[in-house]
Structures are given as C-alpha cells and as structure tokens.
Amino acid sequence: MTILSPAFLWLLALAAPIVALYFLRQRQQVTVLPTNFLWVQAVEDTRSAAVLRRFLRSLLLLLQLLVLALAVLALAGATASLWTTESRRLVVVLLDRSASMGIGDGAGGRTRLDEAQALLRGAIEGLQGDDRMMIVAVDATAEVLVPFTGEKDRLRAAAGAVRVRDLGTDFTDAVLLLRGQRDATAGRVLEVIVFSDGAFPDPGALEGAEVAFVPVGTATDNAGITDARIVRGGTTPPSLFVAVDARGAAPLDRTVALRRDGILVAARTARAAPGGQAVAVFPLGAVDPGVLEIRLEGVDAFPADDRAWAVLRPDPPRRIAIYGKGNRFLAQLAALRTGADAPPVTVATPEDLRRLGPLDLVMYDGAVPDDPPPCRAAVYVNCVPPTGPVVAAGTLDNPPVLDWARTHPLTRHAEFSPLLVMEGLRLEGIPRSGVLVDSPQGPLLALVSLGDQEALFLPFDLAKSNFPLLLAAPLVMANAFDHFFASRRPGDEEEILRTGESIERRVPPGAVMRVTGPDGTAHEAVAGPDGRAAFRGVDRAGIWTLVTPSGESVAAASLLDRNECDVAPRATLAAGGVVHEARPEAASTNLLLRDPLLLAAMALLLVEWVLWTRRR
Amino acid sequence: MALLDRDFLARLEHLEVAARRVRRGVRRGERMSRRRGSSVEFADHRPYAVGDDLRFLDWNVLGRIDRMMLKLFHDEEDLAVHLVVDASASMDHGEPRKLLYALRVAAALGHVALAGQCRVRPAVLRPGGAAETTGWLRGLHQSRRLLGFLEGVTASGPNALAEGLRRLAVETRPKGVVVLVSDLMDRDGVDRALGALGRCAAELHAVQVLDPVETDPHLEGELRIVDSEDGSAADVTVTEAVLAAYGRRVRAYLDAVESACRRRGIRRIATTTDLPFERLVLDVLRQRGLLR
C-alpha cells in the first residue's frame, strides 16, 4: 500500500480524542437513588450478559478507531498496487502537454493535464521492485523528462513539473523514440501508457509494445482560429485572411475582431455549420504596420485558440542587380519590379557583385560568376548556374514554340506563339513541371527551385530573339517579380508565426539574439556563420520580443492548429493502422483505495450501530 | 410550607378513621365502645345488683315481670391512632419527595382522626429506632400542632424501620389504629420490621409510598447508582435486559412486602408519588377502608 498524501496521516491523531471520549463516556454518571440493592440484584441477574457488554464496549472502541483509520487512509489517498508480477516491467508514459490539455473541463475546473498528472501519479505509485518507468512529454515534439528509472521521487517531480505549452500535438517523435527504446529493451515487453485527449494525427505503428490509451477530458464543442495569413498582391494592399473552425455539435456564429495595439480595427461575423469553417477577410490597406490581435469573441471550452497575433510589417525593400555587360532590354524589364527600394544596379565583375552585399534578385545576363553570392531569386538569361542540376547541354537553333503553360501565374494571359529565338542554350535538368514555354529542342522559359533559390531561366540572348518586343515579356517579368516578392520568402521577417516554428533574424555571424517570451522568460540564440540567428523554442502564443544588434523587434506566435481545435477526447488511439481502445483503467496500476476504504468505514459504522443497538 | 391547605382540611373533617375492631379507649369519645357506658344508645339488660345506679333501672320491666333489671347502654370511647412516618434518607427522593408525600398522608389522617375526637400520636422514626413524637393529641384544636410537628420533619439517616417499629411496639404497646407511612424499602427485607409491628394489638395499616423511578425507572447508560441511605455504590450499565431484571426484582420485592403484610394482618396500601395526593386520601384510602 502506498500513501499519495501522507500529510493526511496526521489526522490519525484524532484517535487520541476518540479514546479520550471513549473513556469519558465510560465514566459512569452518578445517580443517587433511594436504594440500590434492587439494582445490584438486577445486575447480578444479568451478570453473564455483562461480560459480553464489556467485550462489546472494547469492540466498539476498536471499531471506532478502525473507522478513523480507514477514513484517514482514504483521505490520504492510500493505494494498492495491482501489479503483482515478479517480472521487471518497463513502462513508458507519453504525457500530452499540448495546448488542448489546458482545457479546464475536469472536476472543479481541473485541466486535462491535471487529470492526466493525477492518473500518472497513481501509475508511479504502482511501480514495484525493479519496475522502471520513463516519462516523455509530448506536444509538437517529444521530450524525455525522465529516462527509465524506479526512483519514484524523481518520477513524481518530473510529472508534476509538466506544464501545458501552446503547441499542437504530434506523437511522431515519441513513436520514433519508442522504437529506439524497444530495441534496447532486450526483448522485454514495453508498456506504453498514453495520457492524452487524442487530438493528433496517426503517429505510426508501435510494434512490440503494449499500448494503453488513457483519454482525458470531456468537452466536445469548440470553435477556434485555425489559420491566419497576410496576403499581398502586386498592386493591391495586403489583406488578412482568418479561418475559424467549428468543432463538435454546435454551429459557429461568433465575431472575429481585429485589434491593433488593443484598438478595435474591424470585426467580421463568422458563421459555419458544425464541423465547418468560416473565413474572415480584413483588408489591411488602411492599417498601419504593427502588432495585430485577432480575437474570436465569446467563450468556449478552449480559449487558447480564440486568439491569434500577427505583426503587420511594411513591405521589405528589394535589392536587384544585373550582372553582365549591360542589357537595355533587361534593365527595362527589371524596372517592372515591385517593392524595390532602388533602381537595379548593373555590375560586370564578380567583385562588384559581391560588394553589393545581400541581394534579393540577381539577373545574370549571359554569364554567371564561378562563386555567385547567395540570393533567393535569380534570372538566368542565356546562362546557367555554375553548379546545380540545371546545365547547358547544347544549343538551340531557331526552336519553334511548341506549347506554354497557360495557367501558370508567370505565363497566364501571355501569348508565346509569336516568340522567335535565333539561338540559345539547350537546358537539361529542368523538371517537367518547371517548363513554362517548351520547344522540341528544349525549354524556352522555365521556373526552377534550386535549393533556397528560385530561378527563372531564359536560355537565349534577348538580343537574338523578339521576346523583348512581345507583350509577353513585361507580363512574364512582372509576374515573376510578384512571384518572387509578393509573398514573404525565407529570410523575411515573419508576420504570422505558428507556435513550434522558429524565429529567425539576420544578424552578424556570432551575434546574440535575445528573445523574451510572452510569459517573460528570456532566451538567447547565437547567429551562425551564415548570419542567421534562429530561436526554436516558441512554445507560447503571444508576442515575443527580440533584441539584436540592429535593434528591437517583435514576433507574434499563435497556435493556429486544426487538430488542437478539435478538443473532443478520442475514444480510440490510431497508431499505424492499429486502433487502440481507450483503457482508463490502465493508469490504475495502483488502485486508489479511497472508495473501498470509505465503504469499509461506512460498513464498520453500521456494524457499530448494530452492536450498540443490540447492546441496548 | 403548609402540608395541607385550609380547604382540604375542611373536606377532611367530613371523614373519619375507620376501625374494624373497637379498641378500649381511655376517654369518652365519639366511637361506639363494646364497653357498656353512659351513652343514649341501648345495649342490653342485666340483673340489678346492689350498688347499681338506680337511674338505669328499667322500670318498665320491673312493672311487667316484677324483676329488677338494669338497662345497659353503649359507652362511647375515643380511638387511639398511631401515625408512624418513616423519615429515613431513602424517603428524601422523588418529585414530590416521598417524605413530603408521606407527611401529607400522615397529616391528613391525623386531622381526620382529631376531627373525630380520636387520640393521635404522630411519630417519626429516626436512626437507631428512636422516634420523634408530640405525644398524644386530642381534639381538632391540636391539628395545628400536629401539622406543625409534621412540617418540621426532615429526612436523614439510614433505614431504622425494624428497630423503630420494635421500640414502638414495646414502649407504647399501641392499641387502636397504627398507620405506618413508609417506602418499606429495606435492604434486609421488611419481614422482620413488620414482625415487630404485627405483635401489636392494634389495627395495622401500611401506606407504602414509592417514587415512580423505583417502580418504572427511565434510566440508561453507564451509571453509578449510589444508595442514599448507606452511600454504597453500584456500577450499572443500564440496558433493556438490566431494566427487565430490575422490574422483576421490584415486583418480587413488592410481592414479598405484600405477603409479609398479609401474614401480620397489615393492610397495605401502595402508592406512588405521581398519584395526586388528594386522590389518594379521598379515593384510595376510603376505598381501602382506612377512612370513611
């Protein structure tokens, strides 16, 4: 037997007053009567019963003390282990600490995590002898809190220290971890107890492990913000798209409010059928850059997904360079850029190109340096990168236009049938999906992703084609600039961040980025040689403050997780196609004796009452 | 505290002490005596003897049969009434107190007797057998003295019933009517005590006054029952079984008292203090023949 709350054992001191009261009660009440000889005779007549009465008196005291002991043990949370086997057990506890575990739908407002921790404590107390337990906290990733150990204090401390994080749930890491553990168990059966509300995708199979799914939670209806995006067009002002999901049996009919610095900017009504989704659009043309708060007004079971944040940032400046001898057509086409803060610079040498510093777009005209600077977008005109999958495998000789992608964002509404090309490079390594204008000899226009760089290939000399004279030329280039710059690209400061994603900033190599979370916790991230500092511990929704050598900025993190929005506890756990039924009793490796003890105490009280009555 | 109120005393004066047998008195009273006396009620004739009072010569008989016959008349003599009250500590219990109840019985009987020109001798039994008494009282005017004496009686000491009655029987040789008012609760039994009284040539009555708690106790729990007379204590766990045993013991004891009284010609009148005193005197004592 194990005591969960030994502090209650102090109540056993109540035995002292019970015994005292017993003896006080045993003190006879003095009654003076005219004579007592008849009473003496009457007692003599019942002497045989008197012996029994004395025994019963002692028995009654014994029963009272026993009732007290049982009640105190019940209050103290006495438990008895149901694990009676002699073999050593290996138990892995997967404790969900995702955002939905913070829902307070338990008894007395206890959160799902509270319930799970209570069950886990019972399981810990049930460990015997050589049993070992490992506790893994799971949200978007898995974290081993305690490796296999039989030290209950350590396990209890680890279980009690788990806090809910504003993250989604993904047991994939945990399953991978368990697969590794299974190999190390030397053939012993691994028992896996999953404490979760079950709102997570299939993490994969757990062969060779006995999986017990212990669901927690009761609430089923919820509405939450599951997506938010700031969308920019080439010429239109940015807009905020907010998706609100209705989960459970209740329809959605709530207000989505947008606030900037706490001031209401706009509000939209979101309506959807149960299980449906509503989208609210907020034009941001008249909204100054700053922190935006999106709030789903009203109250539901899961407040954490009723708020989201965004940082509306001004369009970042774009720096464009043209590498080559100078091309009038290309310069004019480059002038069609969007978001550029300066006219394109034309350089002719690699040194000049490198001196320009970080660039957003480089248009290589006929030649590429051997060591081109990193750049997230490039236009290769009659040339190919020195490395990479795309190579020049020959030449084009008056290739006819065979076909072009009429629905692609770059070539939409453009007509390429008049395109004439005298000569060019025959490109290889272009994926089929990247060919925008095709000819029997090879692509004439292609968009290819080269790692971190997106590249547009025009494998012919503009001066040896009529492309600059076609209407398609400005259309394609304008579309390309929109494509490159309209949405934020890697390296841009994010506007909307999901918890679990990293915050990245460009800082000098080796510089420190200080990060302060919404709850005031401070962190640091050191920039690598590539000049990027990344902080990956975004586990709280809200505004994060960043201090870099270039100044202070903010990042807004939000939950934005459709799985977490679905708060209904699952009845089963699907893992690798295997459905594990819920087994709440699996956590009761230690049987909490409260109810049996209280029942026994009540039974003893009944026995005492019967004895007392019979005695009378 | 007045034992009896004025109205009740007035009602008592319509009663008289009933004696089944006429006992020799010492003074003329209102009670018909077997002795021939000088009352107006004719009793018998006897032959004239020298020295007889010629006023009682029946001249009619002399004229008719020529014999001198003397008319004899019933004499009216007084009745001696002994009122014996047990004032042991055991009488100092109950509500009202048994002693108070007993004293009121004695007062009522005494007043009735004094109103009937009886001689009354109240006596209170004390430890050691000594008795407090006023001596003989006679005449209604002595009623106040009687009441005053009884009002001053307090209960104390152990039971002295046997010794007290023995001394009463030996020292006063009572004739007439003896009324003992007591609870008749004696650890050693009342047979010996009543034996001394039974040898008296008097008409004997015993009014047994008990408290209801003695006959039907409503007690429970762990009790230490202390005897009011000798201070002895008995630890008793009062249960239904003990109560039942006590009830049997009480009934057996009262049966023994009744039996002892019968053997000695004592008319026992048992009452409890919850019976209204007026009802006892006016109804019960009359029904049981002590008063009429």
Side-chain angles (χ1 to χ4, degrees):
Chain A
M1 179 178 290
T2 308
I3 305 299
L4 294 180
S5 305
F8 279 96
L9 294 182
W10 284 104
L11 292 176
L12 285 175
L14 289 174
I18 287 180
V19 173
L21 286 174
Y22 172 79
F23 284 109
L24 282 176
R25 197 178 67 180
Q26 291 301 302
R27 288 181 56 187
Q28 294 97 340
Q29 189 177 358
V30 176
T31 303
V32 179
L33 290 181
T35 58
N36 65 0
F37 66 94
L38 292 178
W39 285 104
V40 173
Q41 293 171 357
V43 170
E44 290 295 323
D45 292 344
T46 57
R47 177 170 294 281
S48 58
V51 176
L52 177 61
R53 278 199 301 278
R54 275 196 293 276
F55 169 73
L56 286 181
R57 277 206 297 270
S58 302
L59 183 60
L60 290 177
L61 174 62
L62 188 64
L63 289 177
Q64 289 168 9
L65 294 177
L66 201 53
V67 167
L68 173 69
L70 292 175
V72 170
L73 286 175
L75 284 173
T79 59
S81 177
L82 299 180
W83 288 353
T84 56
T85 177
E86 296 297 323
S87 64
R88 174 178 166 178
R89 290 180 170 263
L90 294 175
V91 183
V92 178
V93 170
L94 302 183
L95 180 59
D96 186 353
R97 63 176 176 186
S98 64
S100 61
M101 292 294 282
I103 297 175
D105 57 353
R110 285 160 55 92
T111 65
R112 294 179 176 186
L113 182 63
D114 292 337
E115 302 284 348
Q117 285 172 316
L119 293 169
L120 174 54
R121 279 193 291 274
I124 291 171
E125 300 306 327
L127 294 177
Q128 290 184 334
D130 293 332
D131 295 343
R132 296 290 180 268
M133 178 180 282
M134 178 168 73
I135 299 178
V136 180
V138 183
D139 40 52
T141 58
E143 179 187 1
V144 177
L145 302 179
V146 184
F148 280 116
T149 181
E151 299 175 33
K152 293 184 179 180
D153 288 343
R154 197 173 161 200
L155 291 167
R156 278 193 289 263
V162 174
R163 297 288 178 267
V164 171
R165 306 209 298 178
D166 294 333
L167 294 167
T169 316
D170 190 348
F171 273 69
T172 306
D173 282 358
V175 169
L176 293 175
L177 174 71
L178 290 176
R179 285 175 183 161
Q181 292 295 329
R182 185 191 59 202
D183 296 339
T185 56
R188 285 194 294 272
V189 175
L190 199 63
E191 297 185 12
V192 179
I193 306 176
V194 180
F195 295 99
S196 173
D197 53 9
F200 52 84
D202 189 336
L206 271 168
E207 297 92 352
E210 291 182 359
V211 179
F213 174 45
V214 181
V216 291
T218 56
T220 57
D221 295 345
N222 179 51
I225 301 170
T226 56
D227 201 358
R229 297 181 186 185
I230 295 176
V231 178
R232 288 178 167 79
T235 56
T236 57
S239 296
L240 173 65
F241 287 75
V242 178
V244 181
D245 279 30
R247 296 306 180 99
L252 171 66
D253 185 5
R254 291 168 69 177
T255 300
V256 182
L258 176 66
R259 290 177 171 81
R260 182 185 177 281
D261 295 333
I263 300 173
L264 183 65
V265 174
R268 299 284 185 274
T269 299
R271 290 194 180 91
Q277 186 184 64
V279 176
V281 181
F282 297 91
L284 300 178
V287 179
D288 294 332
V291 176
L292 305 179
E293 180 189 1
I294 309 153
R295 186 180 296 177
L296 182 60
E297 302 290 357
V299 178
D300 59 21
F302 187 27
D305 66 352
D306 292 343
R307 298 175 75 188
W309 291 266
V311 181
L312 179 62
R313 306 185 192 279
D315 283 337
R318 305 302 182 189
R319 300 189 65 200
I320 301 174
I322 299 173
Y323 178 81
K325 300 172 184 174
N327 188 318
R328 183 180 178 185
F329 293 124
L330 204 55
Q332 288 181 341
L333 290 175
L336 298 172
R337 84 272 175 224
T338 59
D341 61 345
V345 178
T346 300
V347 293
T349 64
E351 293 72 19
D352 292 341
L353 182 62
R354 191 164 297 281
R355 269 197 294 271
L356 292 176
L359 293 168
D360 294 293
L361 172 65
V362 179
M363 304 176 77
Y364 296 102
D365 181 20
V368 180
D370 293 337
D371 184 17
C375 182
R376 68 187 196 189
V379 177
Y380 295 95
V381 179
N382 198 27
C383 60
V384 294
T387 59
V390 180
V391 295
T395 57
L396 301 174
D397 185 9
N398 290 304
V401 173
L402 185 64
D403 195 8
W404 66 93
R406 289 173 173 79
T407 59
H408 193 277
L410 265 64
T411 54
R412 191 167 47 188
H413 307 306
E415 177 67 40
F416 288 92
S417 58
L419 177 63
L420 296 174
V421 174
M422 292 176 63
E423 61 181 40
L425 299 176
R426 186 166 65 82
L427 300 181
E428 284 191 353
I430 303 289
R432 190 67 204 159
S433 60
V435 177
L436 301 180
V437 179
D438 202 8
S439 78
Q441 298 175 22
L444 298 178
L445 185 65
L447 181 66
V448 180
S449 179
L450 302 175
D452 290 340
Q453 185 182 77
E454 283 203 289
L456 180 68
F457 287 91
L458 285 165
F460 51 85
D461 188 347
L462 294 182
K464 294 182 180 179
S465 76
N466 65 347
F467 179 68
L469 306 178
L470 298 179
L471 181 59
L475 286 177
V476 168
M477 294 311 294
N479 288 339
F481 291 141
D482 280 352
H483 178 71
F484 291 147
F485 303 137
S487 61
R488 310 190 75 78
R489 315 303 299 173
D492 284 347
E493 292 186 356
E494 78 297 315
E495 293 182 305
I496 293 176
L497 187 73
R498 280 181 161 82
T499 52
E501 294 178 345
S502 59
I503 301 174
E504 292 186 4
R505 291 291 182 271
R506 289 179 185 276
V507 294
V512 175
M513 177 174 70
R514 304 187 189 284
V515 182
T516 304
D519 53 357
T521 55
H523 311 271
E524 286 185 352
V526 181
D530 59 351
R532 290 196 301 180
F535 173 67
R536 297 179 174 82
V538 181
D539 58 357
R540 289 281 180 273
I543 306 303
W544 292 72
T545 304
L546 315 171
V547 178
T548 62
S550 59
E552 184 174 310
S553 63
V554 295
S558 308
L559 181 59
L560 302 179
D561 191 303
R562 296 195 71 187
N563 282 329
E564 292 301 301
C565 181
D566 189 1
V567 300
R570 305 295 193 272
T572 59
L573 170 66
V578 179
V579 176
H580 302 279
E581 297 293 332
R583 288 171 50 203
E585 74 282 0
S588 303
T589 50
N590 243 10
L591 176 64
L592 187 60
L593 296 176
R594 181 186 57 203
D595 292 345
L597 286 172
L598 288 179
L599 283 174
M602 291 176 63
L604 284 179
L605 279 176
L606 185 63
V607 169
E608 186 191 14
W609 178 79
V610 170
L611 289 175
W612 175 259
T613 306
R614 287 175 62 85
R615 181 186 146 191
R616 294 179 57 76
Chain B
M1 180 187 64
L3 292 174
L4 304 174
D5 59 48
R6 189 183 301 273
D7 293 339
F8 188 68
L9 289 173
R11 294 176 66 184
L12 291 177
E13 290 169 9
H14 297 287
L15 302 176
E16 63 176 336
V17 177
R20 288 167 292 174
R21 294 173 294 173
V22 177
R23 304 289 177 184
R24 179 180 294 275
V26 295
R27 294 188 182 186
R28 183 177 299 275
E30 293 183 345
R31 196 160 300 272
M32 191 71 67
S33 169
R34 283 188 297 182
R35 286 190 294 171
R36 303 297 178 251
S38 56
S39 72
V40 295
E41 189 171 351
F42 174 78
D44 204 352
H45 286 94
R46 74 170 171 82
Y48 172 78
V50 177
D52 287 337
D53 190 345
L54 290 177
R55 289 178 299 173
F56 297 107
L57 187 66
D58 192 336
W59 296 102
N60 292 328
V61 172
L62 180 61
R64 288 183 183 180
I65 62 176
D66 196 21
R67 288 183 62 182
M68 295 181 69
M69 300 296 289
L70 205 65
K71 289 191 288 187
L72 298 179
F73 296 90
H74 283 292
D75 196 3
E76 291 180 346
E77 54 185 34
D78 58 356
L79 178 67
V81 176
H82 295 264
L83 298 173
V84 183
V85 178
D86 177 8
S88 62
S90 66
M91 294 293 286
D92 192 21
H93 275 275
E95 187 57 41
R97 302 278 174 183
K98 289 193 294 182
L99 180 63
L100 175 62
Y101 201 89
L103 293 171
R104 296 182 76 185
V105 171
L109 291 173
H111 188 77
V112 170
L114 290 174
Q117 294 302 311
C118 299
R119 287 182 295 128
V120 176
R121 185 177 186 274
V124 175
L125 299 181
R126 287 299 183 191
E132 287 179 19
T133 180
T134 59
W136 289 104
L137 302 175
R138 191 168 190 277
L140 193 54
H141 66 281
Q142 294 279 26
S143 177
R144 180 172 297 176
R145 187 179 171 197
L146 170 68
L147 294 177
F149 168 72
L150 294 176
E151 286 169 0
V153 174
T154 56
S156 64
N159 187 303
L161 200 57
E163 183 62 19
L165 292 180
R166 189 189 66 79
R167 291 182 65 169
L168 176 71
V170 171
E171 295 174 1
T172 64
R173 297 184 177 277
K175 298 182 177 66
V177 174
V178 176
V179 180
L180 171 63
V181 188
S182 167
D183 56 5
L184 297 179
M185 298 298 282
D186 192 328
R187 185 180 298 274
D188 301 323
V190 294
D191 197 57
R192 189 169 64 93
L194 296 180
L197 193 62
R199 287 189 285 276
C200 297
E203 187 172 322
L204 302 173
H205 296 270
V207 179
Q208 186 176 19
V209 179
L210 295 173
D211 187 81
V213 76
E214 292 176 291
T215 57
D216 185 20
H218 293 282
L219 302 175
E220 62 179 7
E222 305 290 338
L223 300 179
R224 166 159 291 188
I225 297 177
V226 177
D227 191 303
S228 63
E229 292 185 344
D230 59 12
S232 63
D235 295 336
V236 180
T237 300
V238 181
T239 64
E240 288 184 355
V242 172
L243 284 175
Y246 178 80
R248 288 192 295 272
R249 282 289 178 178
V250 167
R251 285 193 295 275
Y253 182 82
L254 295 181
D255 289 345
V257 171
E258 176 66 22
S259 176
C261 289
R262 276 195 191 147
R263 282 199 303 276
R264 288 157 181 81
I266 302 171
R267 304 182 73 176
R268 170 174 168 266
I269 301 169
T271 184
T272 53
T273 54
D274 58 345
L275 178 70
F277 167 72
E278 292 79 4
R279 192 173 154 205
L280 171 75
V281 173
L282 300 179
D283 293 340
V284 177
L285 296 186
R286 293 176 68 184
Q287 290 167 3
R288 302 300 299 271
L290 182 55
L291 294 178
R292 61 184 177 197

